[in-house]
Amino acid sequence: MTKLTISLAQMRIKLARADENLATATNMIAQAAADSADIALLPELWSTGYDLENAREHASNLGEGSFAQVADAARQNRIAVYGSLLERRGDRVMNCAAFYDAAGELRGVYRKIHLFRLFDEHLWLSEGEAPDLLQAAWGAAGLAICYDLRFPELFRRYAVAHGAALMLLCAEWPLARAEHWRTLLRARAIENQCFVAATNSCGETGGTVFGGHSMIIDPWGQVIAEAGTDECLLTAEIDLAEVQRVRRAIPVFEDRRPDAYLGR
């Protein structure tokens, strides 16, 4: 299986209104399934937005609350789903992205490593401890959340150490830095010769206007599909075989010289 259809659910998140956001998310998941998508990507913290002062009240254990609702939606619609929620983990709260397969089974968990100080994440949340590589029937994918996009080392590890052909990223990225978003997504695809699928939120939430422009990018850095700034569902097909063709054409990984520049 090399061809994969991905839907990006670009949501206008309502701050701290989990029931309304769940209704939007489940409707978009159902529409993605109707469009024959294999995966639906939801934005970062799609259930609550950045209502971090009340993060402990919103958070649930993995497998419960909103996590369980997503698993149910994946299973009922026979589609894989990826997006982040607030997770209660012991006495900590974390920004946790979970990947559920089309049977509603948990296949990947990534807890955000790089906390975004401009939104006070470091005051309310605990850092993730390690990257997480998703192993699926169609191959390996790197998992990431929003601010991680500014740290190329994470994506390089996924590509070089694990051969990931696809990066999945969920975000709440502000409109004020939309050009950073677009440029960095293309850079991560080009430098790692992989597909990048990234879902952003849109519209105003909690006083911040988010930028939309959810995108799917190919290993050459060409934009396959891009949303505007309104709420929408964007669906496109990718052919993962293209990754190996590009990596053979320009053997970047073979020409790396970590002995010359790492650890110095």
Side-chain angles (χ1 to χ4, degrees), residues 118-156:
L118 273 68
F119 283 176
D120 290 337
E121 275 192 303
H122 64 300
L123 300 180
W124 303 100
L125 305 179
S126 296
E127 296 174 331
E129 297 164 356
D132 189 70
L133 184 78
L134 172 69
Q135 292 287 1
W138 35 264
L143 304 180
I145 301 173
C146 201
Y147 187 44
D148 289 328
L149 184 59
R150 292 187 180 272
F151 299 86
E153 305 92 330
L154 173 63
F155 298 87
R156 200 60 156 181

PDB file of all heavy atoms in Angstrom, residues 118-156:
ATOM      1  N   LEU A 118       5.221  31.495  24.467  1.00  0.00           N
ATOM      2  CA  LEU A 118       4.372  32.644  24.145  1.00  0.00           C
ATOM      3  C   LEU A 118       2.916  32.407  24.524  1.00  0.00           C
ATOM      4  O   LEU A 118       2.150  33.353  24.711  1.00  0.00           O
ATOM      5  CB  LEU A 118       4.472  32.983  22.655  1.00  0.00           C
ATOM      6  CG  LEU A 118       5.622  33.926  22.256  1.00  0.00           C
ATOM      7  CD1 LEU A 118       6.972  33.247  22.431  1.00  0.00           C
ATOM      8  CD2 LEU A 118       5.450  34.418  20.827  1.00  0.00           C
ATOM      9  N   PHE A 119       2.511  31.141  24.636  1.00  0.00           N
ATOM     10  CA  PHE A 119       1.159  30.806  25.095  1.00  0.00           C
ATOM     11  C   PHE A 119       1.175  30.238  26.520  1.00  0.00           C
ATOM     12  O   PHE A 119       0.178  29.642  26.955  1.00  0.00           O
ATOM     13  CB  PHE A 119       0.509  29.793  24.149  1.00  0.00           C
ATOM     14  CG  PHE A 119       0.005  30.367  22.849  1.00  0.00           C
ATOM     15  CD1 PHE A 119      -0.517  29.529  21.881  1.00  0.00           C
ATOM     16  CD2 PHE A 119       0.040  31.725  22.593  1.00  0.00           C
ATOM     17  CE1 PHE A 119      -0.985  30.041  20.670  1.00  0.00           C
ATOM     18  CE2 PHE A 119      -0.416  32.250  21.395  1.00  0.00           C
ATOM     19  CZ  PHE A 119      -0.932  31.410  20.431  1.00  0.00           C
ATOM     20  N   ASP A 120       2.286  30.402  27.219  1.00  0.00           N
ATOM     21  CA  ASP A 120       2.432  29.964  28.625  1.00  0.00           C
ATOM     22  C   ASP A 120       2.273  28.457  28.818  1.00  0.00           C
ATOM     23  O   ASP A 120       1.917  28.011  29.921  1.00  0.00           O
ATOM     24  CB  ASP A 120       1.425  30.700  29.525  1.00  0.00           C
ATOM     25  CG  ASP A 120       1.766  32.172  29.681  1.00  0.00           C
ATOM     26  OD1 ASP A 120       2.942  32.543  29.492  1.00  0.00           O
ATOM     27  OD2 ASP A 120       0.852  32.955  29.997  1.00  0.00           O
ATOM     28  N   GLU A 121       2.558  27.680  27.778  1.00  0.00           N
ATOM     29  CA  GLU A 121       2.470  26.229  27.952  1.00  0.00           C
ATOM     30  C   GLU A 121       3.382  25.739  29.064  1.00  0.00           C
ATOM     31  O   GLU A 121       3.029  24.812  29.803  1.00  0.00           O
ATOM     32  CB  GLU A 121       2.839  25.512  26.642  1.00  0.00           C
ATOM     33  CG  GLU A 121       1.707  25.362  25.674  1.00  0.00           C
ATOM     34  CD  GLU A 121       2.052  24.397  24.553  1.00  0.00           C
ATOM     35  OE1 GLU A 121       3.065  24.631  23.857  1.00  0.00           O
ATOM     36  OE2 GLU A 121       1.311  23.417  24.363  1.00  0.00           O
ATOM     37  N   HIS A 122       4.566  26.351  29.173  1.00  0.00           N
ATOM     38  CA  HIS A 122       5.544  25.889  30.165  1.00  0.00           C
ATOM     39  C   HIS A 122       5.063  26.135  31.601  1.00  0.00           C
ATOM     40  O   HIS A 122       5.582  25.510  32.532  1.00  0.00           O
ATOM     41  CB  HIS A 122       6.883  26.575  29.941  1.00  0.00           C
ATOM     42  CG  HIS A 122       6.858  28.069  30.133  1.00  0.00           C
ATOM     43  ND1 HIS A 122       6.067  28.908  29.385  1.00  0.00           N
ATOM     44  CD2 HIS A 122       7.518  28.860  31.020  1.00  0.00           C
ATOM     45  CE1 HIS A 122       6.248  30.162  29.782  1.00  0.00           C
ATOM     46  NE2 HIS A 122       7.117  30.159  30.783  1.00  0.00           N
ATOM     47  N   LEU A 123       4.085  27.014  31.791  1.00  0.00           N
ATOM     48  CA  LEU A 123       3.559  27.293  33.132  1.00  0.00           C
ATOM     49  C   LEU A 123       2.503  26.289  33.560  1.00  0.00           C
ATOM     50  O   LEU A 123       2.293  26.075  34.758  1.00  0.00           O
ATOM     51  CB  LEU A 123       2.956  28.703  33.181  1.00  0.00           C
ATOM     52  CG  LEU A 123       3.907  29.857  32.860  1.00  0.00           C
ATOM     53  CD1 LEU A 123       3.158  31.180  32.949  1.00  0.00           C
ATOM     54  CD2 LEU A 123       5.116  29.848  33.801  1.00  0.00           C
ATOM     55  N   TRP A 124       1.838  25.669  32.586  1.00  0.00           N
ATOM     56  CA  TRP A 124       0.686  24.832  32.902  1.00  0.00           C
ATOM     57  C   TRP A 124       0.865  23.352  32.534  1.00  0.00           C
ATOM     58  O   TRP A 124       0.142  22.502  33.059  1.00  0.00           O
ATOM     59  CB  TRP A 124      -0.557  25.362  32.186  1.00  0.00           C
ATOM     60  CG  TRP A 124      -0.879  26.784  32.518  1.00  0.00           C
ATOM     61  CD1 TRP A 124      -0.608  27.887  31.776  1.00  0.00           C
ATOM     62  CD2 TRP A 124      -1.520  27.262  33.713  1.00  0.00           C
ATOM     63  NE1 TRP A 124      -1.040  29.025  32.405  1.00  0.00           N
ATOM     64  CE2 TRP A 124      -1.604  28.671  33.604  1.00  0.00           C
ATOM     65  CE3 TRP A 124      -2.033  26.639  34.857  1.00  0.00           C
ATOM     66  CZ2 TRP A 124      -2.185  29.463  34.586  1.00  0.00           C
ATOM     67  CZ3 TRP A 124      -2.622  27.428  35.835  1.00  0.00           C
ATOM     68  CH2 TRP A 124      -2.686  28.823  35.696  1.00  0.00           C
ATOM     69  N   LEU A 125       1.795  23.089  31.623  1.00  0.00           N
ATOM     70  CA  LEU A 125       1.932  21.734  31.095  1.00  0.00           C
ATOM     71  C   LEU A 125       3.322  21.166  31.354  1.00  0.00           C
ATOM     72  O   LEU A 125       4.281  21.913  31.570  1.00  0.00           O
ATOM     73  CB  LEU A 125       1.670  21.723  29.587  1.00  0.00           C
ATOM     74  CG  LEU A 125       0.334  22.301  29.105  1.00  0.00           C
ATOM     75  CD1 LEU A 125       0.257  22.223  27.575  1.00  0.00           C
ATOM     76  CD2 LEU A 125      -0.845  21.578  29.747  1.00  0.00           C
ATOM     77  N   SER A 126       3.430  19.859  31.299  1.00  0.00           N
ATOM     78  CA  SER A 126       4.722  19.176  31.403  1.00  0.00           C
ATOM     79  C   SER A 126       5.197  18.775  30.014  1.00  0.00           C
ATOM     80  O   SER A 126       4.400  18.470  29.127  1.00  0.00           O
ATOM     81  CB  SER A 126       4.590  17.919  32.274  1.00  0.00           C
ATOM     82  OG  SER A 126       4.244  18.256  33.596  1.00  0.00           O
ATOM     83  N   GLU A 127       6.514  18.767  29.842  1.00  0.00           N
ATOM     84  CA  GLU A 127       7.104  18.419  28.551  1.00  0.00           C
ATOM     85  C   GLU A 127       7.019  16.925  28.271  1.00  0.00           C
ATOM     86  O   GLU A 127       7.124  16.100  29.173  1.00  0.00           O
ATOM     87  CB  GLU A 127       8.586  18.808  28.529  1.00  0.00           C
ATOM     88  CG  GLU A 127       8.866  20.287  28.648  1.00  0.00           C
ATOM     89  CD  GLU A 127      10.346  20.565  28.753  1.00  0.00           C
ATOM     90  OE1 GLU A 127      11.086  19.705  29.259  1.00  0.00           O
ATOM     91  OE2 GLU A 127      10.772  21.648  28.317  1.00  0.00           O
ATOM     92  N   GLY A 128       6.887  16.601  26.990  1.00  0.00           N
ATOM     93  CA  GLY A 128       7.056  15.220  26.577  1.00  0.00           C
ATOM     94  C   GLY A 128       8.518  14.831  26.686  1.00  0.00           C
ATOM     95  O   GLY A 128       9.408  15.691  26.726  1.00  0.00           O
ATOM     96  N   GLU A 129       8.771  13.558  26.707  1.00  0.00           N
ATOM     97  CA  GLU A 129      10.134  13.087  26.973  1.00  0.00           C
ATOM     98  C   GLU A 129      10.835  12.507  25.758  1.00  0.00           C
ATOM     99  O   GLU A 129      12.070  12.384  25.763  1.00  0.00           O
ATOM    100  CB  GLU A 129      10.088  12.036  28.090  1.00  0.00           C
ATOM    101  CG  GLU A 129       9.573  12.614  29.404  1.00  0.00           C
ATOM    102  CD  GLU A 129       9.156  11.541  30.396  1.00  0.00           C
ATOM    103  OE1 GLU A 129       9.205  10.352  30.018  1.00  0.00           O
ATOM    104  OE2 GLU A 129       8.790  11.903  31.517  1.00  0.00           O
ATOM    105  N   ALA A 130      10.094  12.119  24.719  1.00  0.00           N
ATOM    106  CA  ALA A 130      10.727  11.461  23.579  1.00  0.00           C
ATOM    107  C   ALA A 130       9.841  11.559  22.349  1.00  0.00           C
ATOM    108  O   ALA A 130       8.619  11.661  22.457  1.00  0.00           O
ATOM    109  CB  ALA A 130      10.993   9.987  23.913  1.00  0.00           C
ATOM    110  N   PRO A 131      10.457  11.506  21.155  1.00  0.00           N
ATOM    111  CA  PRO A 131       9.664  11.432  19.920  1.00  0.00           C
ATOM    112  C   PRO A 131       8.904  10.114  19.881  1.00  0.00           C
ATOM    113  O   PRO A 131       9.218   9.178  20.607  1.00  0.00           O
ATOM    114  CB  PRO A 131      10.729  11.478  18.812  1.00  0.00           C
ATOM    115  CG  PRO A 131      11.970  11.977  19.465  1.00  0.00           C
ATOM    116  CD  PRO A 131      11.898  11.524  20.880  1.00  0.00           C
ATOM    117  N   ASP A 132       7.905  10.054  18.994  1.00  0.00           N
ATOM    118  CA  ASP A 132       7.199   8.789  18.804  1.00  0.00           C
ATOM    119  C   ASP A 132       7.009   8.537  17.315  1.00  0.00           C
ATOM    120  O   ASP A 132       6.493   9.397  16.603  1.00  0.00           O
ATOM    121  CB  ASP A 132       5.840   8.777  19.493  1.00  0.00           C
ATOM    122  CG  ASP A 132       5.222   7.387  19.474  1.00  0.00           C
ATOM    123  OD1 ASP A 132       5.752   6.514  20.175  1.00  0.00           O
ATOM    124  OD2 ASP A 132       4.238   7.184  18.759  1.00  0.00           O
ATOM    125  N   LEU A 133       7.449   7.380  16.885  1.00  0.00           N
ATOM    126  CA  LEU A 133       7.330   6.981  15.493  1.00  0.00           C
ATOM    127  C   LEU A 133       6.121   6.073  15.347  1.00  0.00           C
ATOM    128  O   LEU A 133       5.980   5.093  16.071  1.00  0.00           O
ATOM    129  CB  LEU A 133       8.591   6.242  15.049  1.00  0.00           C
ATOM    130  CG  LEU A 133       8.632   5.840  13.573  1.00  0.00           C
ATOM    131  CD1 LEU A 133       8.992   7.042  12.719  1.00  0.00           C
ATOM    132  CD2 LEU A 133       9.643   4.717  13.358  1.00  0.00           C
ATOM    133  N   LEU A 134       5.256   6.423  14.416  1.00  0.00           N
ATOM    134  CA  LEU A 134       4.096   5.592  14.121  1.00  0.00           C
ATOM    135  C   LEU A 134       4.469   4.542  13.093  1.00  0.00           C
ATOM    136  O   LEU A 134       5.017   4.868  12.029  1.00  0.00           O
ATOM    137  CB  LEU A 134       2.962   6.463  13.583  1.00  0.00           C
ATOM    138  CG  LEU A 134       1.736   5.718  13.054  1.00  0.00           C
ATOM    139  CD1 LEU A 134       0.983   5.049  14.187  1.00  0.00           C
ATOM    140  CD2 LEU A 134       0.837   6.670  12.282  1.00  0.00           C
ATOM    141  N   GLN A 135       4.208   3.280  13.402  1.00  0.00           N
ATOM    142  CA  GLN A 135       4.398   2.203  12.438  1.00  0.00           C
ATOM    143  C   GLN A 135       3.019   1.733  11.985  1.00  0.00           C
ATOM    144  O   GLN A 135       2.229   1.253  12.792  1.00  0.00           O
ATOM    145  CB  GLN A 135       5.174   1.044  13.073  1.00  0.00           C
ATOM    146  CG  GLN A 135       6.627   1.359  13.410  1.00  0.00           C
ATOM    147  CD  GLN A 135       7.533   1.452  12.198  1.00  0.00           C
ATOM    148  OE1 GLN A 135       7.086   1.290  11.063  1.00  0.00           O
ATOM    149  NE2 GLN A 135       8.806   1.700  12.425  1.00  0.00           N
ATOM    150  N   ALA A 136       2.747   1.897  10.701  1.00  0.00           N
ATOM    151  CA  ALA A 136       1.442   1.538  10.144  1.00  0.00           C
ATOM    152  C   ALA A 136       1.646   0.605   8.953  1.00  0.00           C
ATOM    153  O   ALA A 136       2.768   0.379   8.502  1.00  0.00           O
ATOM    154  CB  ALA A 136       0.691   2.795   9.717  1.00  0.00           C
ATOM    155  N   ALA A 137       0.536   0.099   8.432  1.00  0.00           N
ATOM    156  CA  ALA A 137       0.608  -0.827   7.299  1.00  0.00           C
ATOM    157  C   ALA A 137       1.261  -0.175   6.092  1.00  0.00           C
ATOM    158  O   ALA A 137       1.917  -0.847   5.289  1.00  0.00           O
ATOM    159  CB  ALA A 137      -0.801  -1.301   6.943  1.00  0.00           C
ATOM    160  N   TRP A 138       1.125   1.126   5.965  1.00  0.00           N
ATOM    161  CA  TRP A 138       1.682   1.845   4.818  1.00  0.00           C
ATOM    162  C   TRP A 138       3.086   2.377   5.081  1.00  0.00           C
ATOM    163  O   TRP A 138       3.692   3.000   4.218  1.00  0.00           O
ATOM    164  CB  TRP A 138       0.760   2.995   4.404  1.00  0.00           C
ATOM    165  CG  TRP A 138       0.069   3.671   5.548  1.00  0.00           C
ATOM    166  CD1 TRP A 138      -1.192   3.428   6.016  1.00  0.00           C
ATOM    167  CD2 TRP A 138       0.601   4.697   6.395  1.00  0.00           C
ATOM    168  NE1 TRP A 138      -1.475   4.239   7.084  1.00  0.00           N
ATOM    169  CE2 TRP A 138      -0.399   5.031   7.334  1.00  0.00           C
ATOM    170  CE3 TRP A 138       1.818   5.372   6.452  1.00  0.00           C
ATOM    171  CZ2 TRP A 138      -0.213   6.006   8.315  1.00  0.00           C
ATOM    172  CZ3 TRP A 138       2.009   6.337   7.424  1.00  0.00           C
ATOM    173  CH2 TRP A 138       1.003   6.648   8.337  1.00  0.00           C
ATOM    174  N   GLY A 139       3.643   2.168   6.278  1.00  0.00           N
ATOM    175  CA  GLY A 139       5.006   2.589   6.561  1.00  0.00           C
ATOM    176  C   GLY A 139       5.126   3.396   7.842  1.00  0.00           C
ATOM    177  O   GLY A 139       4.224   3.389   8.685  1.00  0.00           O
ATOM    178  N   ALA A 140       6.248   4.086   7.981  1.00  0.00           N
ATOM    179  CA  ALA A 140       6.552   4.830   9.210  1.00  0.00           C
ATOM    180  C   ALA A 140       6.225   6.313   9.038  1.00  0.00           C
ATOM    181  O   ALA A 140       6.424   6.891   7.969  1.00  0.00           O
ATOM    182  CB  ALA A 140       8.022   4.675   9.565  1.00  0.00           C
ATOM    183  N   ALA A 141       5.710   6.917  10.115  1.00  0.00           N
ATOM    184  CA  ALA A 141       5.403   8.347  10.106  1.00  0.00           C
ATOM    185  C   ALA A 141       5.894   8.977  11.400  1.00  0.00           C
ATOM    186  O   ALA A 141       5.772   8.390  12.481  1.00  0.00           O
ATOM    187  CB  ALA A 141       3.907   8.585   9.944  1.00  0.00           C
ATOM    188  N   GLY A 142       6.447  10.175  11.301  1.00  0.00           N
ATOM    189  CA  GLY A 142       6.843  10.931  12.476  1.00  0.00           C
ATOM    190  C   GLY A 142       5.677  11.755  12.982  1.00  0.00           C
ATOM    191  O   GLY A 142       4.903  12.303  12.187  1.00  0.00           O
ATOM    192  N   LEU A 143       5.544  11.857  14.301  1.00  0.00           N
ATOM    193  CA  LEU A 143       4.448  12.594  14.922  1.00  0.00           C
ATOM    194  C   LEU A 143       4.981  13.863  15.585  1.00  0.00           C
ATOM    195  O   LEU A 143       6.022  13.830  16.253  1.00  0.00           O
ATOM    196  CB  LEU A 143       3.743  11.716  15.964  1.00  0.00           C
ATOM    197  CG  LEU A 143       3.202  10.370  15.457  1.00  0.00           C
ATOM    198  CD1 LEU A 143       2.537   9.609  16.594  1.00  0.00           C
ATOM    199  CD2 LEU A 143       2.234  10.562  14.289  1.00  0.00           C
ATOM    200  N   ALA A 144       4.247  14.965  15.419  1.00  0.00           N
ATOM    201  CA  ALA A 144       4.692  16.240  15.978  1.00  0.00           C
ATOM    202  C   ALA A 144       3.495  17.137  16.241  1.00  0.00           C
ATOM    203  O   ALA A 144       2.394  16.905  15.734  1.00  0.00           O
ATOM    204  CB  ALA A 144       5.673  16.926  15.033  1.00  0.00           C
ATOM    205  N   ILE A 145       3.739  18.199  17.045  1.00  0.00           N
ATOM    206  CA  ILE A 145       2.695  19.156  17.411  1.00  0.00           C
ATOM    207  C   ILE A 145       3.230  20.582  17.269  1.00  0.00           C
ATOM    208  O   ILE A 145       4.233  20.936  17.893  1.00  0.00           O
ATOM    209  CB  ILE A 145       2.214  18.938  18.861  1.00  0.00           C
ATOM    210  CG1 ILE A 145       1.669  17.521  19.068  1.00  0.00           C
ATOM    211  CG2 ILE A 145       1.157  19.968  19.243  1.00  0.00           C
ATOM    212  CD1 ILE A 145       1.330  17.202  20.527  1.00  0.00           C
ATOM    213  N   CYS A 146       2.606  21.367  16.450  1.00  0.00           N
ATOM    214  CA  CYS A 146       2.756  22.815  16.338  1.00  0.00           C
ATOM    215  C   CYS A 146       4.184  23.351  16.466  1.00  0.00           C
ATOM    216  O   CYS A 146       4.964  23.274  15.523  1.00  0.00           O
ATOM    217  CB  CYS A 146       1.827  23.489  17.353  1.00  0.00           C
ATOM    218  SG  CYS A 146       1.436  25.216  16.935  1.00  0.00           S
ATOM    219  N   TYR A 147       4.555  23.886  17.630  1.00  0.00           N
ATOM    220  CA  TYR A 147       5.855  24.543  17.855  1.00  0.00           C
ATOM    221  C   TYR A 147       7.034  23.633  17.514  1.00  0.00           C
ATOM    222  O   TYR A 147       8.126  24.125  17.194  1.00  0.00           O
ATOM    223  CB  TYR A 147       5.909  24.991  19.318  1.00  0.00           C
ATOM    224  CG  TYR A 147       7.089  25.839  19.736  1.00  0.00           C
ATOM    225  CD1 TYR A 147       7.545  26.894  18.954  1.00  0.00           C
ATOM    226  CD2 TYR A 147       7.710  25.609  20.963  1.00  0.00           C
ATOM    227  CE1 TYR A 147       8.618  27.680  19.376  1.00  0.00           C
ATOM    228  CE2 TYR A 147       8.770  26.384  21.400  1.00  0.00           C
ATOM    229  CZ  TYR A 147       9.229  27.421  20.600  1.00  0.00           C
ATOM    230  OH  TYR A 147      10.274  28.188  21.021  1.00  0.00           O
ATOM    231  N   ASP A 148       6.823  22.319  17.552  1.00  0.00           N
ATOM    232  CA  ASP A 148       7.872  21.380  17.143  1.00  0.00           C
ATOM    233  C   ASP A 148       8.395  21.692  15.748  1.00  0.00           C
ATOM    234  O   ASP A 148       9.540  21.352  15.419  1.00  0.00           O
ATOM    235  CB  ASP A 148       7.339  19.939  17.126  1.00  0.00           C
ATOM    236  CG  ASP A 148       7.079  19.366  18.504  1.00  0.00           C
ATOM    237  OD1 ASP A 148       7.800  19.730  19.453  1.00  0.00           O
ATOM    238  OD2 ASP A 148       6.154  18.538  18.622  1.00  0.00           O
ATOM    239  N   LEU A 149       7.574  22.317  14.927  1.00  0.00           N
ATOM    240  CA  LEU A 149       7.942  22.612  13.548  1.00  0.00           C
ATOM    241  C   LEU A 149       9.205  23.456  13.464  1.00  0.00           C
ATOM    242  O   LEU A 149       9.926  23.404  12.456  1.00  0.00           O
ATOM    243  CB  LEU A 149       6.773  23.325  12.853  1.00  0.00           C
ATOM    244  CG  LEU A 149       6.902  23.651  11.369  1.00  0.00           C
ATOM    245  CD1 LEU A 149       7.110  22.376  10.548  1.00  0.00           C
ATOM    246  CD2 LEU A 149       5.663  24.406  10.888  1.00  0.00           C
ATOM    247  N   ARG A 150       9.477  24.235  14.508  1.00  0.00           N
ATOM    248  CA  ARG A 150      10.652  25.102  14.517  1.00  0.00           C
ATOM    249  C   ARG A 150      11.929  24.364  14.918  1.00  0.00           C
ATOM    250  O   ARG A 150      13.000  24.989  15.001  1.00  0.00           O
ATOM    251  CB  ARG A 150      10.428  26.286  15.466  1.00  0.00           C
ATOM    252  CG  ARG A 150       9.363  27.266  14.971  1.00  0.00           C
ATOM    253  CD  ARG A 150       9.307  28.497  15.854  1.00  0.00           C
ATOM    254  NE  ARG A 150       8.299  29.445  15.414  1.00  0.00           N
ATOM    255  CZ  ARG A 150       8.493  30.416  14.509  1.00  0.00           C
ATOM    256  NH1 ARG A 150       9.673  30.547  13.951  1.00  0.00           N
ATOM    257  NH2 ARG A 150       7.506  31.245  14.181  1.00  0.00           N
ATOM    258  N   PHE A 151      11.846  23.069  15.154  1.00  0.00           N
ATOM    259  CA  PHE A 151      12.997  22.291  15.601  1.00  0.00           C
ATOM    260  C   PHE A 151      13.282  21.179  14.590  1.00  0.00           C
ATOM    261  O   PHE A 151      12.779  20.058  14.713  1.00  0.00           O
ATOM    262  CB  PHE A 151      12.738  21.730  17.000  1.00  0.00           C
ATOM    263  CG  PHE A 151      12.528  22.816  18.022  1.00  0.00           C
ATOM    264  CD1 PHE A 151      11.258  23.372  18.213  1.00  0.00           C
ATOM    265  CD2 PHE A 151      13.587  23.328  18.752  1.00  0.00           C
ATOM    266  CE1 PHE A 151      11.058  24.390  19.123  1.00  0.00           C
ATOM    267  CE2 PHE A 151      13.400  24.355  19.667  1.00  0.00           C
ATOM    268  CZ  PHE A 151      12.129  24.887  19.855  1.00  0.00           C
ATOM    269  N   PRO A 152      14.111  21.465  13.591  1.00  0.00           N
ATOM    270  CA  PRO A 152      14.344  20.501  12.504  1.00  0.00           C
ATOM    271  C   PRO A 152      14.974  19.198  12.962  1.00  0.00           C
ATOM    272  O   PRO A 152      14.835  18.176  12.292  1.00  0.00           O
ATOM    273  CB  PRO A 152      15.265  21.264  11.548  1.00  0.00           C
ATOM    274  CG  PRO A 152      15.899  22.338  12.371  1.00  0.00           C
ATOM    275  CD  PRO A 152      14.867  22.720  13.385  1.00  0.00           C
ATOM    276  N   GLU A 153      15.660  19.227  14.124  1.00  0.00           N
ATOM    277  CA  GLU A 153      16.311  18.015  14.613  1.00  0.00           C
ATOM    278  C   GLU A 153      15.316  16.881  14.837  1.00  0.00           C
ATOM    279  O   GLU A 153      15.636  15.706  14.625  1.00  0.00           O
ATOM    280  CB  GLU A 153      17.048  18.296  15.931  1.00  0.00           C
ATOM    281  CG  GLU A 153      18.044  19.432  15.882  1.00  0.00           C
ATOM    282  CD  GLU A 153      17.447  20.779  16.288  1.00  0.00           C
ATOM    283  OE1 GLU A 153      16.231  20.984  16.074  1.00  0.00           O
ATOM    284  OE2 GLU A 153      18.202  21.603  16.822  1.00  0.00           O
ATOM    285  N   LEU A 154      14.126  17.209  15.296  1.00  0.00           N
ATOM    286  CA  LEU A 154      13.116  16.189  15.566  1.00  0.00           C
ATOM    287  C   LEU A 154      12.732  15.463  14.274  1.00  0.00           C
ATOM    288  O   LEU A 154      12.698  14.229  14.224  1.00  0.00           O
ATOM    289  CB  LEU A 154      11.880  16.841  16.192  1.00  0.00           C
ATOM    290  CG  LEU A 154      10.658  15.943  16.390  1.00  0.00           C
ATOM    291  CD1 LEU A 154      10.974  14.811  17.357  1.00  0.00           C
ATOM    292  CD2 LEU A 154       9.468  16.752  16.876  1.00  0.00           C
ATOM    293  N   PHE A 155      12.475  16.229  13.234  1.00  0.00           N
ATOM    294  CA  PHE A 155      12.053  15.641  11.962  1.00  0.00           C
ATOM    295  C   PHE A 155      13.214  14.897  11.297  1.00  0.00           C
ATOM    296  O   PHE A 155      13.012  13.874  10.651  1.00  0.00           O
ATOM    297  CB  PHE A 155      11.499  16.740  11.053  1.00  0.00           C
ATOM    298  CG  PHE A 155      10.289  17.408  11.630  1.00  0.00           C
ATOM    299  CD1 PHE A 155      10.417  18.479  12.501  1.00  0.00           C
ATOM    300  CD2 PHE A 155       9.020  16.944  11.333  1.00  0.00           C
ATOM    301  CE1 PHE A 155       9.299  19.090  13.069  1.00  0.00           C
ATOM    302  CE2 PHE A 155       7.891  17.547  11.879  1.00  0.00           C
ATOM    303  CZ  PHE A 155       8.032  18.610  12.755  1.00  0.00           C
ATOM    304  N   ARG A 156      14.426  15.419  11.474  1.00  0.00           N
ATOM    305  CA  ARG A 156      15.604  14.743  10.932  1.00  0.00           C
ATOM    306  C   ARG A 156      15.770  13.370  11.559  1.00  0.00           C
ATOM    307  O   ARG A 156      16.111  12.398  10.878  1.00  0.00           O
ATOM    308  CB  ARG A 156      16.840  15.592  11.195  1.00  0.00           C
ATOM    309  CG  ARG A 156      18.020  15.259  10.306  1.00  0.00           C
ATOM    310  CD  ARG A 156      17.666  15.459   8.858  1.00  0.00           C
ATOM    311  NE  ARG A 156      18.838  15.691   8.043  1.00  0.00           N
ATOM    312  CZ  ARG A 156      18.787  15.918   6.751  1.00  0.00           C
ATOM    313  NH1 ARG A 156      17.624  15.931   6.133  1.00  0.00           N
ATOM    314  NH2 ARG A 156      19.877  16.117   6.059  1.00  0.00           N
TER     315      ARG A 156
END
